[in-house]
Amino acid sequence: MLGFGTARVEPVETDAEGRMKAPALRRVLAGKGKSPTIVCAQAGNVNSGAFDPLAEIVDAAQEAGAWAHVDGAFGLWAAASPRHRALVAGADRADSWATDGHKWLNVPYDCGIAITAHPRAHRAATTASASYLTTAGGRSGTRSSGCRRRRGAAARSRSTWP
């Protein structure tokens, strides 16, 4: 889904429950050099319900300069429970998270939620630009929504849409 192709995927050793082994991840990352890397950890294995050791995985990814992503389709909601929130310890330091509303919130199946700690990177990855697109002001090659985005602290503290 990231567009890298299956030849670029590096499997990392897991335990019997499907949890990624952080020392094995460190070995894989050590061999990556300077190439762009994303580490996809899981909060709630689809088959066993197991949680990766997120704090260790995020540490390893950050030390290697990799993007740390938490697939929390099932388990990210554990953060809302005082009894279970330790299962997602470290997820708050990841670069991005994904979860599914349909698994816990009784909403339609196609309710996916993506969250990132880096709004500029997200915007750059999801903004379309082409010479045939125009803005309300008539400039081509820029976003055509016509909305103004807030910058700085205002953008971080409230919605970026007017």
Side-chain angles (χ1 to χ4, degrees), residues 8 10-12 22-37 39 60 63-66:
R8 302 283 310 265
E10 296 278 343
V12 176
L25 172 63
R26 287 183 184 283
R27 287 190 296 275
V28 169
L29 290 172
K32 294 306 298 169
K34 298 242 182 235
S35 65
T37 303
V39 174
E63 289 165 14

Side-chain angles (χ1 to χ4, degrees), residues 73-84:
F74 289 104
L76 197 61
W77 299 104
S81 165
R83 183 171 152 199
H84 299 291

Side-chain angles (χ1 to χ4, degrees), residues 41-54:
Q42 60 186 344
N45 180 288
V46 74
N47 295 310
S48 69
F51 285 68
D52 284 336
L54 299 176

Side-chain angles (χ1 to χ4, degrees), residues 103-131:
K103 292 195 171 71
W104 292 101
L105 302 177
N106 197 30
V107 297
Y109 180 75
D110 55 355
C111 177
I113 303 164
I115 305 162
T116 179
H118 310 286
R120 286 185 185 167
H122 181 252
R123 189 171 293 124
T126 59
T127 300
S129 179
S131 61

